Amino acid sequence: MTRKVPAREIQNKVKKLFFKANIMMRPDIKKALEKAYAKERSVRSRYMLKILLDNAEIAKKEKLPLCQDTGLAVIFVEMGCDVRVTGGGIMEALNRGVEEAYTEYNFRKSVVMDPVSREYRNTNTPAVAHLNIVKGSGLRITVMPKGFGSENKSRIMMLDPVQIGDAVTDFCVETVKLAGADACPPYVLGVGVGGTMDLCALLAKKALLKPLAKSGAGGNSLKLGKRILKQVNSLGIGVMGLGGECTALGVNIEMAPTHIAGCPVAVALSCHSLRSASGMV
Amino acid sequence: MKKITAPLTGKQIRSLKAGELVFLSGIIYTARDQAHLRLKRDIGKNRKTPLDLKGQVIYYCGPTPSGKRAIGSCGPTTSGRMDGSTPQMLEAGVRGLIGKGRRSEPVRKAIKKHGAVYFLAPAGAGAYISGCVIDSRAVAYEELGPEAVYRLEVRDLPLIVGIDYGGKDLYSRSI
Ligand code: SF4
């Protein structure tokens, strides 16, 4: 049975979700920051963690974005094959929803149309949209305003499958080390392993959408996640780079089958301001 | 916590030690990537810059639109991207820098040479910092949108001294 969904409904949903994502701190992130605050001993780091928790309260109360970098708009759509979008195309609807949200709610529009000449565009579009066709007649939209301080420190590498050993762990730890204090630690690592180069990067991004596990390590490989988290947190970067054990709040890993000759690994690095929201249309 | 006022006096700058927490009040100017390129070009050609940089404090920040408030969210952006222009900015008289993250060795040396100071602002706390800004207005490059130069009046903005006038870098110890 075909289910008709007006494009306008998709647009409205996108708008609502970007509002939520930019203004309300994700509950899992809040919990992780509260836990870090309770554990932290350094006066300076405690002070900064307290500011981050207060920041979340102020954002919610004043309807202000948690961070001024309200990001490049990344959208994941899971559309049932029985859905038919009416009254317009889906991409158009997604972009309109982004532009409306960023204009109406006073979010920062950070998109330049030409990456080389840096021509500025005052719409924050186009969004980076990933469309996935699934069974049924559901339509799920997940948005992620992705800040670029941490996006800039994300990395991908094609590892040698013959010498895999600790290479995945080492690559993740090295990525955080290179980011150092610059990209608003404590971080969250979305790790993709396997697939092709492009799929691997996507897996890493998607891993950031999963709520953080209590232990901090989640996704396809808990053992690997725990090891990465432990090593990252012994780097001594800490909150805002001030030192200490709180360098990352969590690691989520997504794996996929890959080729006999390869093992891609990607880290989508997120700052503590990891923002996303999801809902059905 | 120590309270300081911008523009900073030499005496105030010399009293600050890397790692120290301070509250900053007074007048500061935002400038990020594109504004830095333009200012650097003007300085290089000996042209007058659209704002007098002498003694001023520059904040690496691209705020969200203000709406009904003095300013929207306005946390710091990554300072490292401004490293290539910072020695010239200091040469032109800038005495205070506010941002997040590490600085290059040439920047650290230039800070020492000019007796300036680099502060770290609470990173990723744009809504919180918005509450420390009493007034804001665009003073240059308005066409750059969030990358325009804004003159901000701030009250009790919490900062950590990242690199002090003696060139001591907080991050050289922890990383
Ligand atoms: S890295 Fe994250 S928290 Fe930091 S300024 Fe960018 S978006 Fe905001």
Side-chain angles (χ1 to χ4, degrees):
Chain A
M1 261 270 290
T2 310
R3 182 182 147 228
K4 288 186 183 165
V5 177
R8 182 75 223 190
E9 272 182 34
I10 296 175
Q11 180 180 329
N12 291 346
K13 191 74 192 182
V14 167
K15 182 178 164 188
K16 269 197 197 134
L17 290 172
F18 271 106
F19 176 79
K20 186 176 170 198
N22 270 315
I23 285 178
M24 316 276 268
M25 186 182 274
R26 264 172 47 169
D28 57 323
I29 301 295
K30 187 153 182 252
K31 264 197 204 123
L33 285 173
E34 280 166 354
K35 203 169 132 193
Y37 178 67
K39 256 176 69 182
E40 184 62 60
R41 285 184 305 263
S42 136
V43 175
R44 277 188 316 226
S45 301
R46 268 181 76 83
Y47 183 71
M48 287 299 156
L49 283 167
K50 179 73 172 50
I51 286 183
L52 294 184
L53 290 166
D54 289 351
N55 184 60
E57 287 308 307
I58 295 167
K60 194 164 94 183
K61 201 171 130 232
E62 307 276 331
K63 297 195 171 44
L64 268 176
L66 287 156
C67 179
Q68 74 288 340
D69 186 353
T70 43
L72 208 137
V74 183
I75 307 178
F76 301 87
V77 180
E78 272 185 10
M79 187 158 89
C81 51
D82 297 333
V83 170
R84 211 179 95 212
V85 179
T86 58
I90 186 160
M91 286 310 210
E92 252 177 283
L94 299 178
N95 283 325
R96 285 217 183 108
V98 170
E99 185 173 352
E100 242 181 53
Y102 279 68
T103 305
E104 199 165 307
Y105 305 130
N106 283 315
F107 296 159
R108 200 180 82 191
K109 297 166 179 164
S110 310
V111 171
V112 289
M113 281 312 278
D114 183 319
V116 180
S117 76
R118 314 299 296 170
E119 176 206 331
Y120 179 63
R121 183 169 194 184
N122 206 16
T123 62
N124 213 49
T125 62
V128 173
H130 303 286
L131 201 57
N132 212 2
I133 306 294
V134 296
K135 256 206 225 150
S137 59
L139 178 56
R140 173 171 286 282
I141 296 180
T142 305
V143 308
M144 173 190 265
K146 185 65 178 78
F148 253 60
S150 52
E151 186 72 0
N152 278 338
K153 308 289 179 182
S154 295
R155 288 163 84 224
I156 188 160
M157 185 152 150
M158 310 305 278
L159 298 177
D160 179 347
V162 181
Q163 298 172 3
I164 200 87
D166 291 328
V168 173
T169 310
D170 293 348
F171 178 76
C172 294
V173 175
E174 190 187 46
T175 301
V176 175
K177 212 170 165 180
L178 287 169
D182 297 353
C184 301
Y187 299 122
V188 178
L189 281 74
V191 181
V193 190
T196 51
M197 191 257 267
D198 47 332
L199 177 63
C200 187
L202 188 57
L203 290 173
K205 260 282 162 22
K206 280 189 174 168
L208 290 175
L209 297 173
K210 281 217 174 118
L212 295 186
K214 247 199 179 143
S215 70
N220 287 155
S221 174
L222 288 186
K223 215 172 123 200
L224 184 58
K226 275 188 188 149
R227 188 161 50 195
I228 294 169
L229 190 59
K230 198 168 160 211
Q231 289 196 24
V232 163
N233 281 335
S234 60
L235 286 174
I237 296 171
V239 180
M240 249 179 86
L242 296 170
E245 283 163 30
C246 184
T247 299
L249 300 173
V251 178
N252 277 346
I253 301 179
E254 288 282 327
M255 297 212 192
T258 190
H259 191 278
I260 44 173
C263 182
V265 56
V267 178
L269 194 70
S270 176
C271 47
H272 58 74
S273 203
L274 171 51
R275 291 152 290 175
S276 67
S278 186
M280 304 292 290
V281 182
Chain B
M1 231 151 82
K2 190 185 282 181
K3 295 200 176 211
I4 52 174
T5 311
L8 301 166
T9 61
K11 197 175 156 206
Q12 279 190 91
I13 294 176
R14 284 189 298 276
S15 78
L16 301 169
K17 300 265 171 305
E20 195 174 357
L21 277 163
V22 294
F23 280 128
L24 176 75
S25 298
I27 304 298
I28 61 177
Y29 291 88
T30 70
R32 51 175 293 155
D33 309 50
Q34 296 300 321
H36 269 78
L37 292 179
R38 292 189 184 191
L39 290 169
K40 184 176 155 182
R41 199 177 51 205
D42 285 350
I43 296 166
K45 291 187 175 155
N46 260 328
R47 278 202 303 242
K48 205 171 157 232
T49 49
L51 65 149
D52 187 4
L53 297 169
K54 264 215 175 74
Q56 298 301 345
V57 176
I58 298 291
Y59 180 26
Y60 307 138
C61 170
T64 62
S66 49
K68 290 193 190 92
R69 306 169 55 89
I71 199 166
S73 277
C74 53
T77 194
T78 312
S79 308
R81 291 198 315 274
M82 267 52 79
D83 281 355
S85 326
T86 300
Q88 287 89 335
M89 296 285 281
L90 293 167
E91 197 74 52
V94 170
R95 284 299 167 262
L97 311 161
I98 308 174
K100 68 171 166 102
R102 298 162 294 188
R103 307 309 306 258
S104 67
E105 184 55 18
V107 168
R108 192 192 65 81
K109 280 194 181 138
I111 286 171
K112 189 174 173 188
K113 179 178 162 199
H114 295 288
V117 58
Y118 169 54
F119 299 101
L120 306 165
Y128 182 98
I129 296 177
S130 176
C132 306
V133 178
I134 312 163
D135 185 50
S136 91
R137 64 180 132 97
V139 290
Y141 314 141
E142 255 177 283
E143 68 282 9
L144 291 177
E147 295 209 61
V149 173
Y150 294 89
R151 175 189 184 273
L152 308 184
E153 188 180 346
V154 297
R155 187 163 50 205
D156 289 340
L157 173 63
L159 302 171
I160 296 177
V161 179
I163 302 177
D164 62 27
Y165 81 105
K168 202 156 157 249
D169 184 351
L170 169 65
Y171 285 149
S172 64
R173 278 185 290 130
S174 57
I175 297 164

